[in-house]
Amino acid sequence: MEYEEQKQLMIDQLMKKGKTKSKFYFSDLAKILDMKPREAKKVVNKLVEEGILEFWSSGSTSMYGLKGQGKQTAAEHEE
Amino acid sequence: MAKHKTPLLDQLESGPWPSFVSDMKQEAEARAKNVNNVEYQIPVDVVEDLLGVLELSFDDGTTHWKHGGIVGVFGYGGGVIGRYCDQPEKFPGVAHFHTIRVAQPSGKFYKTEFLRQLCDLWDFRGSGLTNMHGSTGDIIWLGTTTPQIEEIFYELTHNLNQDLGGSGSNLRTPADCIGQARCEYACYDTQDLCYQLTLDYQDELHRPAFPYKFKFKFDGCPNGCVASIARADMSFIGTWKDEIRIDQDAVGGYVSGDLKPNAGAHSGRDWGAFNIEKEVINLCPTECMRYENGKLEINNRECTRCMHCINVMPRALRPGVQTGCSILVGAKAPILDGAQMGSLLVPFVEVNKESGYEEVKAVIEAIWDYWMEEGKNRERLGELMKRRGFQSLLEAVGIDPIPQHVSEPRHNPYIFWKEDEVEGGWERDVTEYRKHHQR
Amino acid sequence: MAFISSGYDPSKPMENRITDIGPRKYDEFYPPVIANNKGKWLYHEILQPGVLVHVSETGDEVYTVRAGGARLMSVTLIREICEIADKHCDGYVRWTTRNNIEFMVDSKDKVQPLIDDLESRKFDAGSFKFPVGGTGAGITNIVHTQGWIHCHTPATDASGPVKATMDVLFDDFKNMRMPANVRVSLACCLNMCGAVHCSDIAILGYHRKPPMIDHEYLDKMCEIPLAIASCPTAAIKPKKVEFNGQTLNSVEVNNSRCMFCGNCYTMCPCLPLSDKEGDGIVLMVGGKVSNRISEPKFSKVAVAFLPNDAPRWPQTTDKIKKIVEVYAADARKYERVGEWAERIGWERFFEKCELEFTHHLIDDFRDPAYYTWRQSTQFKF
């Protein structure tokens, strides 16, 4: 699968799931891409760099979400 | 004049131990005076408000911080912890008060020139309050606002040649003991291994793709001054394979009382004259030593390298020269299924600078592959090992089982034999069986 | 307070971006005597509390003066440390794993002026800035977490109880009369950012009340699946609740399954759990990480709960002082707290330390619990 296809797949899947939650573990993303973690990481890194995905951290755990999604976003972006 | 009254905190200014309250107050005053005309980028009274909110917690017995999911700088998944005050109107200076983790140099050695640069930057763009250091080892900067985070990162990387540390489901900033820099017990160069692995695994440190946090810690010897065996997913503990080096004259010096036992560590009390039988020979956990006719003998084959005799007589005894490290895996704090100590995986591996630590990295990467594929979300390596069994780890890493891996063999015979381990396999002909066994 | 740019352009975050450079290299910061003798050290000696000499095979010596400090430290104080390091140590200084500050000099005549300087510096209100000590068979600095100063789930403060405890143990920071070293640690909740579970004495913050549920705002502010997933004991379930005549999406908490970790509050600000009466301290004892003589050990719970009696936590420091004094008087040379307790038996430990034994101290959490019950007729009356 080409990167552009992977990107679209990721956006579609996360939008679909986004009705109930906006943050996902890395393993969820690897499953969407149907790739081994180390390979999936390269794609995910690129999606972050392009500003499609963004990180969320509990301090101890990290999660990913589509940029700007989620109920706490407004409060945390301090606008 | 203090902005908030702090009668409870004020009571922590007395007593001999350095008072963090006094230090915070001096910082609050320094910011207010601002003799160097710093253009503070966050509120000048940030420390006043922090004292205020802490006083409130001392009074009402509860915290006034909320977590925020902000992670820091663009492209990094860790290094910043989001914090918001739940009383922002009362304490506007700390309404947004995020933590930054700055990767510490191995061994925590500093030059004052560098420390001052760090201070100047943090004074200018943050609260001026730090932790030297956090539990994991990072330099912690307590409290700044969101717009400052990228600015701080830019200045750190461009002007100070310095990066952030880890947080979240990352490799956390590795930490080491003082090692060979100033310790005669160190069996390998903890600082160099710590530094090299930190550099080699920057991607793992900044871009989270692990199930959960992962910690490396480097202890130069089994005394374990950075507590790696208790708190690192992978602990690298210095050890040796050959014989403890003995200087018999110095042993005599301890016996005669000319040398201070324990390097003077017990000199606060009169424990009586040094008794080598009682204090060394009889306390050896493997009883592999004897002292006869003024000569110390060690049956090194039976020694488990606990360090006691070396700690007691450092001028007479030294670790061997064939040194390397043991690798233990899976230590963690109690949550969730109880605390775990590191379990021995690799009894001995050379710590070879010339090879770029290839031998060590092979083990690390095999473990990561195993954990990234098998680990559940928020499952530490130690928990995965418990769930899947130590055999599963050995298989994944390609290490053969040896008695050193256990403190004792299993207590039950419920061995899950695999088909290929049993002669003839599991496919059998029941008709053939019935020729000799009636129904 | 005009915003001053560092040069970073938010519209082009990747422009001139420098990443993945790691920390500065350790050897940039080695004092010459360290750089010249690394790996060549022969032996060391603790000359007096807080003062060590290391002797190299080259004949060089390095003298280290160790000073205690609060890990919460202002830039003003760090600059003062720099001034001291410039004056005495050619501009080099280091920190230890346990938040102590080490000043190193390369000859003996430089030691006393350094000590005098350190000991003479006090805060206006009277506490020492740099008390010298923390070596050998004594009580060194406490490693700890953030507490009320910066954490969102602490069940106690960190800097406050640490200051109170170190004031009580101060004489033993400056002495070496203990049977072995005594390591004290504090973590302000059971998540243990500072892993205290292998300390001779561990001060652990603990909540005792499950989270409150702010039904009115929960679905507006939190993502319910994340709150549910955050719970390590699966005690949180989705629930529809009636609130002011409306049916709202919210959660319910099975209180009897709650282990008071606060992970749900991390994910959802509508599940706060801190509470003045509920929160306090658990005291644990007898852990160690060293492999010396006996294997490393976990700390065990000795006191199930002590209240947060701020600002000085006298009930906690009294118990710690008592344990330390009984240990100092009763243990054999080289015995750590845990080794001593195991030798005399835990029943004796509670008796000698005058600690009450309650049902809270018997493990009932999952598998390891069984292995802590007594499967023997060997016990002491």
Side-chain angles (χ1 to χ4, degrees):
Chain A
M1 209 182 336
E2 293 299 309
Y3 173 68
E4 288 303 320
E5 281 177 77
Q6 289 164 332
K7 178 158 84 180
Q8 202 50 50
L9 176 70
M10 186 67 80
I11 294 171
D12 292 347
Q13 288 294 312
L14 295 190
M15 287 296 277
K16 206 165 102 191
K17 296 180 184 197
K19 286 176 192 121
T20 50
K21 63 172 180 176
S22 66
K23 299 177 187 76
F24 303 88
Y25 288 110
F26 176 80
S27 65
D28 302 330
L29 307 188
K31 254 177 237 143
I32 288 172
L33 294 169
D34 192 21
M35 292 167 101
K36 291 224 172 210
R38 277 191 190 272
E39 292 307 305
K41 184 173 181 182
K42 291 174 192 161
V43 180
V44 171
N45 279 352
K46 216 166 158 189
L47 289 166
V48 170
E49 219 161 274
E50 274 192 35
I52 309 286
L53 294 178
E54 68 178 358
F55 295 110
W56 187 92
S57 172
S58 77
S60 61
T61 321
S62 310
M63 300 180 91
Y64 293 78
L66 290 172
K67 196 174 172 75
Q69 297 283 302
K71 290 178 183 171
Q72 290 182 45
T73 304
E76 286 175 4
H77 283 252
E78 297 178 13
E79 266 104 39
Chain B
M1 193 46 205
K3 183 174 170 187
H4 306 281
K5 283 209 170 4
T6 55
L8 293 169
L9 290 176
D10 294 350
Q11 294 176 53
L12 289 173
E13 289 203 87
S14 58
W17 187 253
S19 169
F20 68 98
V21 177
S22 298
D23 190 20
M24 287 172 74
K25 285 186 178 176
Q26 86 172 359
E27 189 58 32
E29 213 181 298
R31 282 179 82 92
K33 277 191 193 150
N34 192 15
V35 290
N36 294 324
N37 295 314
V38 178
E39 285 227 45
Y40 293 122
Q41 296 292 292
I42 74 165
V44 175
D45 56 0
V46 54
V47 183
E48 301 267 12
D49 277 351
L50 187 61
L51 282 162
V53 76
L54 188 60
E55 176 74 13
L56 181 61
S57 286
F58 269 58
D59 184 46
D60 69 13
T62 55
T63 189
H64 289 281
W65 299 104
K66 294 188 291 182
H67 178 72
I70 191 166
V71 293
V73 302
F74 186 76
Y76 277 13
V80 178
I81 315 285
R83 282 286 172 271
Y84 301 90
C85 182
D86 74 2
Q87 291 289 318
E89 289 84 13
K90 269 193 206 160
F91 308 105
V94 294
H96 304 148
F97 200 65
H98 311 313
T99 315
I100 295 185
R101 294 185 180 172
V102 178
Q104 85 286 0
S106 296
K108 299 192 178 84
F109 283 92
Y110 294 95
K111 254 178 126 155
T112 53
E113 182 197 2
F114 178 58
L115 277 175
R116 286 198 177 94
Q117 289 173 331
L118 289 172
C119 287
D120 290 347
L121 175 55
W122 186 234
D123 211 7
F124 172 44
R125 297 197 179 273
S127 70
L129 295 176
T130 77
N131 291 149
M132 296 297 282
H133 299 73
S135 303
T136 299
D138 299 279
I139 302 164
I140 307 284
W141 282 353
L142 288 180
T144 192
T145 57
T146 307
Q148 291 305 315
I149 293 172
E150 285 287 356
E151 306 295 326
I152 288 168
F153 181 68
Y154 191 93
E155 292 206 35
L156 273 177
T157 51
H158 285 76
N159 307 337
L160 273 68
N161 190 23
Q162 169 67 48
D163 207 338
L164 299 183
S167 64
S169 306
N170 279 340
L171 172 63
R172 299 302 183 84
T173 316
D176 59 346
C177 70
I178 191 163
Q180 293 178 338
R182 201 201 58 202
C183 180
E184 66 271 24
Y185 301 152
C187 294
Y188 70 95
D189 187 345
T190 53
Q191 261 123 63
D192 197 66
L193 182 59
C194 183
Y195 176 73
Q196 280 310 328
L197 294 183
T198 305
L199 282 200
D200 292 350
Y201 295 125
Q202 281 287 296
D203 188 55
E204 282 74 10
L205 200 149
H206 296 305
R207 295 172 196 87
F210 289 150
Y212 205 10
K213 61 179 89 165
F214 196 92
K215 298 185 180 182
F216 286 153
K217 294 200 190 296
F218 306 89
D219 273 311
C221 83
N223 280 332
C225 291
V226 287
S228 68
I229 200 167
R231 56 192 196 127
D233 298 271
M234 283 186 88
S235 338
F236 302 85
I237 305 179
T239 195
W240 65 95
K241 274 179 117 168
D242 54 343
E243 298 180 349
I244 292 177
R245 286 173 283 171
I246 307 179
D247 174 346
Q248 296 288 355
D249 289 344
V251 174
Y254 283 107
V255 172
S256 67
D258 292 338
L259 295 175
K260 268 199 240 170
N262 311 292
H266 291 254
S267 60
R269 192 198 298 195
D270 182 7
W271 290 94
F274 176 67
N275 180 332
I276 194 169
E277 280 294 330
K278 192 173 144 201
E279 297 187 37
V280 180
I281 311 296
N282 295 346
L283 289 180
C284 170
T286 61
E287 300 174 16
C288 69
M289 311 179 79
R290 65 177 176 189
Y291 184 71
E292 269 174 14
N293 307 322
K295 196 166 175 239
L296 182 72
E297 278 179 54
I298 301 175
N299 180 355
N300 282 283
R301 211 178 126 67
E302 299 308 311
C303 169
T304 52
R305 304 168 310 284
C306 86
M307 296 296 295
H308 176 63
C309 59
I310 298 177
N311 288 330
V312 175
M313 304 190 291
R315 290 183 75 160
L317 302 178
R318 302 171 69 193
V321 292
Q322 207 183 330
T323 55
C325 76
S326 301
I327 302 178
L328 289 85
V329 292
K332 53 179 276 295
I335 197 160
L336 173 67
D337 215 9
Q340 284 178 243
M341 211 68 88
S343 299
L344 180 72
L345 177 66
V346 180
F348 185 88
V349 61
E350 261 184 60
V351 183
N352 192 342
K353 214 179 280 196
E354 282 67 47
S355 77
Y357 304 117
E358 230 171 63
E359 300 82 357
V360 170
K361 288 173 73 175
V363 181
I364 293 170
E365 285 165 26
I367 284 180
W368 279 348
D369 282 340
Y370 169 67
W371 180 52
M372 287 172 80
E373 282 179 33
E374 303 280 336
K376 294 183 187 172
N377 296 327
R378 302 187 1 161
E379 187 174 51
R380 291 284 286 269
L381 176 63
E383 291 163 321
L384 169 64
M385 287 161 56
K386 254 173 114 171
R387 181 164 63 81
R388 297 290 314 274
F390 197 76
Q391 288 91 334
S392 150
L393 175 73
L394 288 177
E395 206 174 307
V397 184
I399 292 177
D400 291 332
I402 46 171
Q404 283 81 350
H405 283 136
V406 295
S407 61
E408 56 192 3
R410 65 193 303 154
H411 290 194
N412 61 68
Y414 311 142
I415 300 162
F416 287 89
W417 292 99
K418 290 180 191 146
E419 185 173 7
D420 61 10
E421 290 183 312
V422 183
E423 295 76 7
W426 288 350
E427 287 303 314
R428 287 180 287 165
D429 182 355
V430 71
T431 320
E432 181 61 27
Y433 182 81
R434 285 294 167 225
K435 286 179 188 165
H436 312 284
H437 304 268
Q438 294 180 16
R439 280 190 187 89
Chain C
M1 198 173 75
F3 182 84
I4 298 175
S5 169
S6 59
Y8 171 73
D9 178 356
S11 66
K12 297 176 198 149
M14 295 311 287
E15 196 173 87
N16 296 326
R17 197 169 188 81
I18 299 175
T19 66
D20 299 85
I21 56 175
R24 293 279 284 266
K25 195 170 180 206
Y26 56 90
D27 57 6
E28 286 181 54
F29 303 135
Y30 281 160
V33 63
I34 294 294
N36 295 338
N37 294 285
K38 184 174 177 179
K40 297 177 189 164
W41 300 105
L42 280 179
Y43 64 89
H44 75 284
E45 193 178 324
I46 305 170
L47 300 173
Q48 65 188 71
V51 182
L52 304 103
V53 59
H54 287 79
V55 180
S56 163
E57 63 190 33
T58 64
D60 285 355
E61 295 176 333
V62 62
Y63 292 82
T64 303
V65 178
R66 184 177 291 171
R71 86 162 205 184
L72 175 62
M73 194 169 268
S74 71
V75 293
T76 301
L77 194 70
I78 297 173
R79 288 184 180 125
E80 187 169 347
I81 291 168
C82 291
E83 176 210 320
I84 298 167
D86 283 347
K87 192 166 143 197
H88 298 272
C89 314
D90 302 320
Y92 297 92
V93 63
R94 78 172 285 264
W95 271 261
T96 71
T97 305
R98 302 191 75 86
N99 309 322
N100 291 314
I101 311 150
E102 288 189 338
F103 297 92
M104 284 173 250
V105 292
D106 55 14
S107 75
K108 196 167 188 178
D109 56 300
K110 296 177 183 169
V111 173
Q112 198 55 46
L114 172 57
I115 294 173
D116 293 343
D117 192 356
L118 291 169
E119 294 281 11
S120 72
R121 293 174 189 251
K122 290 184 170 183
F123 288 107
D124 290 342
S127 66
F128 288 100
K129 284 178 175 169
F130 309 107
V132 173
T135 50
I139 300 180
T140 187
N141 205 342
I142 297 177
V143 289
H144 63 92
T145 55
Q146 295 292 10
W148 289 333
I149 201 134
H150 210 216
C151 181
H152 66 295
T153 60
T156 187
D157 187 35
S159 298
V162 164
K163 160 72 175 154
T165 303
M166 285 310 291
D167 276 341
V168 167
L169 300 177
F170 189 72
D171 289 348
D172 284 310
F173 179 79
K174 300 188 73 77
N175 199 327
M176 301 189 287
R177 66 171 179 122
M178 292 290 135
N181 30 3
V182 178
R183 299 273 187 254
V184 186
S185 312
L186 180 147
C188 52
C189 82
L190 87 177
N191 291 298
M192 293 194 194
C193 297
V196 301
H197 56 291
C198 295
S199 308
D200 294 278
I201 296 176
I203 306 164
L204 175 66
Y206 207 83
H207 300 285
R208 296 184 303 164
K209 295 190 186 182
M212 292 174 274
I213 308 174
D214 192 351
H215 290 302
E216 187 181 358
Y217 285 92
L218 195 136
D219 192 37
K220 297 187 184 82
M221 294 179 72
C222 312
E223 296 180 19
I224 289 171
L226 293 175
I228 291 168
S230 72
C231 179
T233 63
I236 303 178
K237 282 194 186 131
K239 193 187 181 188
K240 294 219 185 289
V241 295
E242 296 300 319
F243 190 91
N244 285 348
Q246 279 180 292
T247 305
L248 298 177
N249 292 321
S250 187
V251 298
E252 69 177 338
V253 176
N254 179 346
N255 286 341
S256 64
R257 292 192 71 151
C258 178
M259 66 189 296
F260 319 108
C261 69
N263 288 2
C264 56
Y265 182 59
T266 302
M267 299 305 276
C268 173
C270 292
L271 292 165
L273 83 165
S274 65
D275 186 273
K276 187 170 181 129
E277 281 76 37
D279 298 352
I281 280 172
V282 179
L283 271 189
M284 301 177 73
V285 300
K288 72 179 192 101
V289 296
S290 152
N291 289 275
R292 184 174 185 175
I293 304 178
S294 67
E295 291 178 2
K297 296 178 198 305
F298 293 122
S299 310
K300 286 93 184 164
V301 179
V303 182
F305 184 78
L306 292 160
N308 277 325
D309 40 4
R312 283 204 162 264
W313 281 265
Q315 297 186 65
T316 295
T317 58
D318 283 356
K319 292 270 190 274
I320 292 172
K321 183 73 177 163
K322 175 81 185 172
I323 293 167
V324 165
E325 288 305 330
V326 174
Y327 159 73
D330 201 56
R332 293 175 183 163
K333 192 178 180 186
Y334 304 116
E335 256 177 359
R336 297 285 291 259
V337 172
E339 292 166 325
W340 163 65
E342 284 173 13
R343 176 174 60 80
I344 63 172
W346 285 96
E347 60 270 51
R348 273 295 171 271
F349 171 85
F350 280 91
E351 183 186 304
K352 287 183 187 234
C353 294
E354 295 169 26
L355 296 171
E356 192 191 358
F357 192 87
T358 68
H359 72 86
H360 307 104
L361 306 183
I362 300 175
D363 198 348
D364 58 358
F365 188 73
R366 303 193 178 180
D367 262 3
Y370 166 82
Y371 298 97
T372 65
W373 307 339
R374 192 184 300 269
Q375 283 106 27
S376 163
T377 58
Q378 296 185 11
F379 60 87
K380 293 179 182 175
F381 287 109

